[in-house]
Amino acid sequence: MTLEDTTKTLAMSQEGSFPLHMTEFDLNLVVHKGVMPFEQFARRRWATANFPPVQGLDVLDVGCAFGLSGLHFANIGARSVTCVDISALAVGNTAENAVRNNIDNLQALQSDVFSNVPSGRPFDAIFWNAPSRLDPNTNHCGEEPGREIIDSEFLVLRRLLAEGPNWLTQGGRIIVSLGGNNSADILTNIVQENFLECSTLIRGSGEDGKACTLIQIHKPFDRANVRFDQSERLTKRARNVYPAGVTRVSIGTIPIQGMSDRLSIYAQSGEGARVTDVDGNHYVDFHNNFSTLVHGHRHAGTIAAVASQLERGTSFGNATAADVDLAEMICERVPAIERLRYLNSGTEAVMFAIKAARAMTGRTRLAKLEGAFHGTYDWAEVSTRSHPGNWGDSPSSIAPYRNTPAHVTDDVVVLTINDVERSRNIIERHGSELACIVVDMLPCAAGMMPLDESYLSMLQDVAHKHGILLISDEVVCFRLGYQGASAARAFQPDFVTLGKVLGGGLPIGVVGGKKILMEAFAPQDSAPVPQGGTFSANPLSMAAGRAALASLTAPELDRISALGCYLREQSEAAAAENDLAISVQGAGSLFRFHAKKTRPCTYREAHHNAMESEILRRLQVGMLERGFYVAAPFWGSISTSMGKTHIEDFLNAFRSCLSEIPEIKEFCNRSAP
């Protein structure tokens, strides 16, 4: 049913043709007489269609009418929706529509705003579709028909903004749909009266051509409201059981302002784009477990797949249909993978790719990019942590840990990122000795600078010339294209290693490649490279991985890549406006901040001195306190559970950090060349 059809029908219905039946947002709806003025329908539908993502959120829909907005939110993944209306008829209509559409995560209540909403129930978003007129009754003495309704709606707005903040979770917001010419000024005045902040989410027009705006309103940032008591207690307990008080080098401690000691932030739960810590602080999660959670937390399809597998068992000494299902999906999707083997981590995937390359070439040495991290296999880890004190004039093979056997570093040739001629010369000198070159299209640890087309072309040419096998490590950067990073860059590797997003949040590693080369792992009883693992191809990871990969569609990848581009560009623009030396590298839905005036193109350019590192540390902590979680030193990823609003909120918090943390400007000025 078109908008014109709907509005005409609603208009006619005022004359008695109720109940009206319609289909909107794939919902089968019935509308009873008197639940909503038909002239409000176009803007309500526009607001519902353009509302920020609600996956995993608790939402309150004030003035629900027949339930269009709340039902849609519940249907697309909100954790819970509470619909309230002062009209008992509207509440009954909404409840009826919930039953008609088998929606069980929605509750409809008769309430004048918050009166009958159960106490102690905070909301992540409170929505109100305002009427076209909001001007208060000043001096009309009841002469204008319908004036009392306008006054009532004006009072709803006043109450919504006076009491609403007390019903919000930390980081929650009130979202108001506005129309009419004077509404914005009236709303702004009431926002200021209540010491709140507001910003425009989106402007547009309904299908009736009338202007529509979504405004978000929230409490200003107050550091005093952020508590870390439980995380502090757990950090102290952890120091009694873990070396350095942490379980892995990638999970460190951070200095929170006002705290006497550094602490780890302990997670309690996650939902969609948000994670909640043990103190009840909420964060928009741009960390996503080091980019693993490409769909955010508790992705519905992944949860359902894992739950289904749990009913049948967690692991077996047998193969399962689940591993074949996922393998077929990967082979069909990634051109470079004709055969594959499963492992339990990206480290293992790279390790077995290197072993296979050695077995199939008869050579032992390998080449890798300076600063690039490929897991913790000795040879793959060489020069990951090189620094000005040991890297010398040319890229050197730097031992990854104390007392590394000398032959490990001797076996590794190190290349300069994006330096075509120098890298070509190095490979030419050692070409007959090299089994493989390990390549990351977007080496995160080295600075997340994309490899130049000319550099990738050189690697392919020189590798082919000398019979060197190419390993494309896509554990992090697979998300750069629907068929993976190498296919997106027209790079033709011999092996591809995968992990992270392929496991849907559970442990996984994949080594795949050309059929003839993957024979390194066959036959079963006398393979050149024996490969096994008690939990390799475990059915939980297989089920989660298949669900996650199926949901990682080309349109979704394009959408979050566009969001990533927007975040990088606008962050740099904000820094430039403040005359600060901050740039952002990355590609697709991945980003990494640098305390540099211009984007670095090599690992050495990306290396941060102590002062530059301090800038990033202050930014990371500042964003954390404002409800945005990023990985240290300052990098992250965008998940499919995010929308444009999440990015705008990130940018607003980033601008706040730039203006409210004076040390950042001080450090930037001191570190400028």
Side-chain angles (χ1 to χ4, degrees), residues 97-117:
N97 282 325
V99 173
R100 290 172 65 90
N101 291 276
N102 297 314
I103 291 174
D104 57 9
N105 56 335
L106 180 147
Q107 181 182 23
L109 303 170
Q110 184 177 8
S111 177
D112 59 335
V113 195
F114 302 107
S115 296
N116 292 328
V117 177

Side-chain angles (χ1 to χ4, degrees), residues 177-241:
S177 167
L178 288 181
N181 296 326
N182 66 332
S183 299
D185 290 340
I186 292 171
L187 182 141
T188 300
N189 290 336
I190 301 176
V191 165
Q192 292 173 350
E193 288 174 8
N194 288 281
F195 304 102
L196 302 173
E197 294 179 351
C198 70
S199 59
T200 299
L201 285 176
I202 186 171
R203 288 189 176 93
S205 58
E207 293 182 43
D208 59 356
K210 294 182 179 179
C212 303
T213 308
L214 279 181
I215 304 289
Q216 70 169 352
I217 303 155
H218 57 87
K219 294 179 286 189
F221 167 68
D222 183 1
R223 184 175 286 106
N225 291 330
V226 184
R227 292 284 186 269
F228 298 100
D229 298 342
Q230 295 301 320
S231 279
E232 185 177 25
R233 293 188 184 97
L234 285 166
T235 299
K236 290 178 179 177
R237 288 173 56 191
R239 291 189 179 122
N240 294 323
V241 290

Side-chain angles (χ1 to χ4, degrees), residues 5 48 190 236 301 310 335 343 350 472 537 593 666:
D5 293 335
T48 303
I190 301 176
K236 290 178 179 177
L310 279 171
L343 307 126
V350 172
S472 179
F593 281 61
E666 174 191 344

